[in-house]
Amino acid sequence: RKPRNFPPGPKWLPIIGCAWELRDLHKMKGSLAKATQELAVQYGPVVGARVGRERTVFVCELNATKELLCKVELNGRPDDIFSTSRTFGKRRGIIFTDSEFHQVQKRFLQKQLKESSFRKEVMEATLAHTVRVIIDDLKKKIEGDGVNCISSLFPIHILNSLFTLMTGDTCSDQDMEELCSAMAEFSQNIPLTGAMFTHFPFLKYICPDYCGYNTYVNIHKRILTFVSKRLKFLKQTRDSATPCGFIHEYIKMINCAEGRSSFSEDQLLAIVLDLLIAGYDTTCNTLSFVFMYLLLHPEVQRNAQKEMDSVIGRGRLPSLEDRARLPYVESIILESLRMFAGRGFLIPRRAMKDSTLNGYFIPKGTFIQANSGGTLLDEGAGWKNPKTFDPERFMKDGALNIPDNFILFGLGKRRCLGDTLARANIFLIVASLLHIFHFKPAPGSPPALEIVESFTPSLKPSKAFVTLR
Ligand code: HEM
């Protein structure tokens, strides 16, 4: 039964709740993000629904999203088949755990990453190397007719640098291709908002292929097996004098009395899985959005190149030190991030206690999905012409100006822990490629922004004609 003062929304039918109506709206609108925005127009910014047996609330507005992100009792993650079947039948990792366990693990990880992989010189050296590899690769690729698929330029290189930064390990090209193919399969097949078997768990016994259960479990198994093999190799070949990301420190915790209660080998594997999942898809898709918008807006590309020519000249590649002096390049990245992230959802939440949101009652256990369109692509959140790509919105008097309402990496205890890395990586790749190459629409393939629902929003593959400047 619908609890009193639960947020308004579509009618609940026995057993399925609103699943049917949501499915139809999803099909009609082309994405769950658009479907829930449509519901918000009808019922208000906080929509109450039931999908299968789960009470679900969709949040589609800035202030309600801020309230959600900052309320500790709404900080939980779903505790269901979606969060357990990926990691050994238990909730493990960072993304899908909560409470004290999550806090201890996240605090440890953040401290260790800060002291190893996220140290300025370590991050800068790894990212600069990645940029050089991408440039060499692209130079080779344009030797023929110059036409290249934009979204295929980055995945293996992003994954390689992420893997090296997180584990201190380097893999052969062949190994990295194996991991990359598993990650690509993950991105295309796993929706962040849950699959059919999440809402109707019994389907895993009746039609495990059709309901997405087998794919979900098998892709996670592939990635975890890969990570497990690499960690075994690292343990055998590295001594403690040669640091490898945060992993040595984590293994020390597993073996000491203090860490025994929550540090374990399974948890270490799940953390690496989470860092790869969270970092790979977001970074690759943002880069695809950046270059798609640059194809659609050649004047923006020219302005960025002009800024770099005048600030750093043509004699060297941009570095992270140049970031502060290249506000226009930064504004292109922020605007593309807004356009990318605004098309999807935050990671699902669960109410850990009875609570309230936007004045409505949210019972313990309710599943909460925040539609980022409400914070990043909505006039109500202060964005003028929100669907128009306009980097200048982040500029004021020739300097970068980031509005307070730009909540890109979340807030509070569940805030993203890879924001510094993500922004540095994207900046260095975009600035360096624009400094060396021109990107134009490929003859006969006009650029079109066609968004595909995947783990995070992605674009339909599109071609660019790339030449050296
Ligand atoms: C374009 C790049 C990225 C964007 C837009 C982004 C955005 C976000 C957001 C909005 C959240 C918070 C979700 C919530 O409130 O529930 C989050 C969480 C997280 N992010 Fe990122 N992220 C990016 C890149 C990265 C990278 C590169 C890493 C790691 C290498 C990373 C690791 C994580 C992790 C582990 C969490 C879960 C935190 C938790 O549950 O406590 N992210 N990210």
Side-chain angles (χ1 to χ4, degrees), residues 136-416:
D136 290 347
D137 191 23
L138 187 51
K139 277 185 180 164
K140 270 190 223 134
K141 281 182 171 158
I142 61 173
E143 275 170 6
D145 61 1
V147 174
N148 272 279
C149 171
I150 309 173
S151 51
S152 69
L153 299 178
F154 309 111
I156 193 141
H157 307 298
I158 297 294
L159 190 60
N160 216 336
S161 73
L162 198 57
F163 193 75
T164 304
L165 273 175
M166 295 305 140
T167 63
D169 186 16
T170 44
C171 296
S172 68
D173 289 354
Q174 202 185 352
D175 281 350
M176 202 34 75
E177 267 164 29
E178 183 192 328
L179 180 62
C180 201
S181 116
M183 295 299 293
E185 211 184 309
F186 177 94
S187 305
Q188 285 155 19
N189 291 292
I190 311 290
L192 179 60
T193 46
M196 202 193 294
F197 70 87
T198 323
H199 310 298
F200 302 100
F202 60 89
L203 291 178
K204 84 168 188 180
Y205 301 108
I206 301 170
C207 48
D209 281 328
Y210 177 73
C211 72
Y213 178 77
N214 278 351
T215 307
Y216 187 75
V217 172
N218 290 336
I219 296 178
H220 280 98
K221 228 184 242 169
R222 260 178 86 188
I223 302 172
L224 283 168
T225 307
F226 182 93
V227 175
S228 167
K229 264 197 234 157
R230 297 306 309 179
L231 291 191
K232 218 175 260 166
F233 173 74
L234 266 185
K235 272 204 279 181
Q236 284 163 359
T237 55
R238 294 279 178 107
D239 53 45
S240 52
T242 325
C244 43
F246 67 96
I247 287 174
H248 255 115
E249 294 307 315
Y250 198 97
I251 293 172
K252 272 194 218 160
M253 283 302 278
I254 298 175
N255 296 325
C256 81
E258 185 199 344
R260 238 162 250 151
S261 60
S262 79
F263 289 69
S264 65
E265 297 256 348
D266 281 357
Q267 170 63 2
L268 174 58
L269 286 180
I271 288 178
V272 178
L273 169 79
D274 280 357
L275 292 172
L276 293 177
I277 284 171
Y280 166 81
D281 205 59
T282 46
T283 309
C284 290
N285 286 335
T286 303
L287 286 167
S288 297
F289 272 73
V290 173
F291 285 92
M292 171 53 74
Y293 279 112
L294 290 173
L295 291 181
L296 290 164
H297 298 270
E299 74 289 357
V300 173
Q301 186 173 169
R302 274 195 299 275
N303 291 344
Q305 288 169 333
K306 229 191 263 169
E307 183 184 60
M308 284 193 284
D309 290 351
S310 78
V311 173
I312 59 174
R314 297 300 313 278
R316 66 171 175 88
L317 283 175
S319 73
L320 289 179
E321 298 280 307
D322 299 316
R323 246 169 103 181
R325 298 186 299 142
L326 296 172
Y328 191 77
V329 175
E330 274 280 37
S331 74
I332 297 173
I333 294 166
L334 294 178
E335 180 67 341
S336 307
L337 275 162
R338 187 180 74 86
M339 292 295 199
F340 151 70
R343 259 56 183 237
F345 287 87
L346 295 182
I347 304 167
R349 304 265 173 145
R350 177 178 62 99
M352 295 196 290
K353 287 183 187 162
D354 284 354
S355 183
T356 56
L357 186 63
N358 209 32
Y360 295 111
F361 175 57
I362 308 292
K364 182 179 172 183
T366 303
F367 193 71
I368 311 162
Q369 307 258 21
N371 181 327
S372 301
T375 48
L376 297 174
L377 282 178
D378 195 287
E379 257 180 54
W383 305 106
K384 222 167 144 190
N385 300 324
K387 304 263 163 68
T388 306
F389 179 78
D390 177 16
E392 302 274 346
R393 69 173 83 242
F394 289 102
M395 300 283 288
K396 196 173 173 190
D397 304 328
L400 199 66
N401 174 47
I402 305 178
D404 292 342
N405 58 0
F406 191 44
I407 304 174
L408 188 60
F409 294 101
L411 292 172
K413 290 202 189 312
R414 305 236 56 139
R415 198 178 185 285
C416 177

Side-chain angles (χ1 to χ4, degrees), residues 69-70 75 77 94-95 102-103 106 110 346-347 349 406-420 423:
L69 299 189
C70 296
N75 251 336
R77 295 289 193 210
I94 298 291
I95 299 178
H102 167 262
Q103 285 304 298
K106 189 172 181 181
Q110 278 177 310
L346 295 182
I347 304 167
R349 304 265 173 145
F406 191 44
I407 304 174
L408 188 60
F409 294 101
L411 292 172
K413 290 202 189 312
R414 305 236 56 139
R415 198 178 185 285
C416 177
L417 54 70
D419 57 339
T420 313
R423 283 190 58 186

